[in-house]
Amino acid sequence: MAILIIAEHNNHSLKSEAHKVVQAASQIGGDITVLVAGFNCAAVAAEAATINGVSKVLLADNTAYQHQLAENIAALVAVLGKEFSHILTAATTTGKNFLPRVAAMLDVAQISDVIAIEAADTFVRPIYAGNAIATVKSADAVKVLTVRPAAFRAAETGNNAPVEAVAAVHDVGLSAFVAEELTKSERPELSAARVVISGGRGMQNGENFALLNGIADKLGAAIGASRAAVDAGFVPNDMQVGQTGKIVAPELYIAVGISGAIQHLAGMKDSKVIVAINKDAEAPIFQIADYGLVADLFTVLPELEQQL
């Protein structure tokens, strides 16, 4: 078997999710090839080559792939992927954008949000917002998978795999990069943080999210939010944790003013320790919390920060 992994990166360094996808692929068995498609991204390919378990790295370095536009990446992967038995990438915004296109081009079914590998053709994934777990067996010649990074540990480094250049250029001309606006923060990335503190509708407005800042700084935590808080305009949508946001599984998750709708629980219930702060003792969040505090968050948060 031959496995192709499409690595997510920013043209300078690999995203941490790539290491976790390699770990998932190692459970399938077979040679693992990592594709790095971007522009001036030789350093990324060299970094990918150090991941244990990787047999080879393919480097597609061209301006057509600079911003990883879904149409161009999908066209490239669809051509390369015909030589592989499995195609994997992380279940991130980028992966969810281009990989379904690849599956369609190859005329196979995609299996999304894989959380466990049982065999080379059998995979485990959540359905119904995580309320049920499905074991799926694929008969397709090429298995196309998105992997939920939170479900796998990161593969270690120390390898020295060869890097090969890919000359093919696929610029289908269906989309163009215009601009991007990035939220700059010294805090860890939400999907990779060891500690996450999230606020919900109970925060009442965006200004009150400042109450989380001091606690997050002292814990080295990322700050998240429920969909209710995002929909209310309290915070930007890149902070959303949940079924339609980011899936996280930190060592510690603190939910503040979050009732615990199933869509939110689907994005954080695999956290190692869950702490809930809510003035409603009947809030569903308490059903999955390891520690719960029934109290007014506007009183508790300043006290918590002071104690920390």
Side-chain angles (χ1 to χ4, degrees):
M1 286 181 294
I3 303 168
L4 176 65
I5 294 173
I6 299 86
E8 192 169 337
H9 59 90
N10 60 4
N11 289 316
H12 303 292
S13 60
L14 276 178
K15 296 292 183 70
S16 60
E17 289 84 355
H19 293 257
K20 297 181 179 181
V21 179
V22 171
Q23 179 63 30
S26 68
Q27 298 178 17
I28 297 173
D31 292 333
I32 298 174
T33 299
V34 175
L35 170 63
V36 174
F39 182 59
N40 287 337
C41 56
V44 179
E47 184 180 352
T50 67
I51 304 175
N52 290 347
V54 173
S55 301
K56 180 171 62 176
V57 176
L58 298 178
L59 173 60
D61 197 321
N62 190 276
T63 54
Y65 309 126
Q66 181 173 2
H67 302 290
Q68 299 192 24
L69 297 176
E71 293 84 357
N72 294 352
I73 296 295
L76 172 65
V77 175
V79 172
L80 296 176
K82 295 177 182 178
E83 307 298 323
F84 294 85
S85 60
H86 296 74
I87 301 175
L88 283 72
T89 197
T92 60
T93 302
T94 300
K96 291 176 181 179
N97 194 5
F98 77 81
L99 204 63
R101 303 167 192 263
V102 174
M105 291 176 182
L106 297 177
D107 196 25
V108 299
Q110 177 178 303
I111 301 175
S112 304
D113 283 313
V114 171
I115 60 172
I117 311 289
E118 291 201 349
D121 61 354
T122 308
F123 314 97
V124 179
R125 64 177 297 265
I127 58 175
Y128 304 132
N131 281 320
I133 302 297
T135 300
V136 181
K137 187 171 184 178
S138 172
D140 287 328
V142 182
K143 280 70 171 174
V144 176
L145 317 171
T146 59
V147 174
R148 183 172 289 187
F152 297 90
R153 64 177 178 83
E156 297 182 355
T157 58
N159 192 16
N160 187 24
V163 177
E164 294 183 7
V166 175
V169 177
H170 298 271
D171 188 350
V172 298
L174 292 176
S175 62
F177 176 80
V178 177
E180 65 180 359
E181 294 182 11
L182 300 177
T183 302
K184 295 182 179 180
S185 174
E186 295 181 356
R187 296 195 179 95
E189 187 179 350
L190 186 56
S191 58
R194 293 176 58 251
V195 181
V196 174
I197 180 168
S198 291
R201 194 197 306 273
M203 300 299 294
Q204 297 185 2
N205 58 55
E207 289 73 20
N208 288 334
F209 265 76
L211 293 170
L212 305 180
N213 291 342
I215 297 172
D217 290 340
K218 292 184 177 182
L219 294 176
I223 297 181
S226 68
R227 177 168 180 170
V230 172
D231 287 349
F234 296 170
V235 292
N237 60 11
D238 60 355
M239 292 174 62
Q240 183 179 325
V241 173
Q243 182 182 7
T244 54
K246 295 180 179 177
I247 309 296
V248 300
E251 294 179 18
L252 172 62
Y253 188 89
I254 304 175
V256 182
I258 295 175
S259 63
I262 186 62
Q263 291 83 357
H264 185 75
L265 301 186
M268 45 66 70
K269 66 181 182 180
D270 290 331
S271 304
K272 308 302 182 292
V273 176
I274 299 172
V275 176
I277 301 173
N278 199 301
K279 65 180 181 181
D280 179 9
E282 303 300 321
I285 191 73
F286 288 121
Q287 297 177 12
I288 68 162
D290 298 287
Y291 300 92
L293 180 59
V294 180
D296 185 337
L297 65 89
F298 296 105
T299 301
V300 167
L301 291 179
E303 293 180 0
L304 176 58
E305 182 178 352
Q306 184 178 10
Q307 292 296 324
L308 289 171

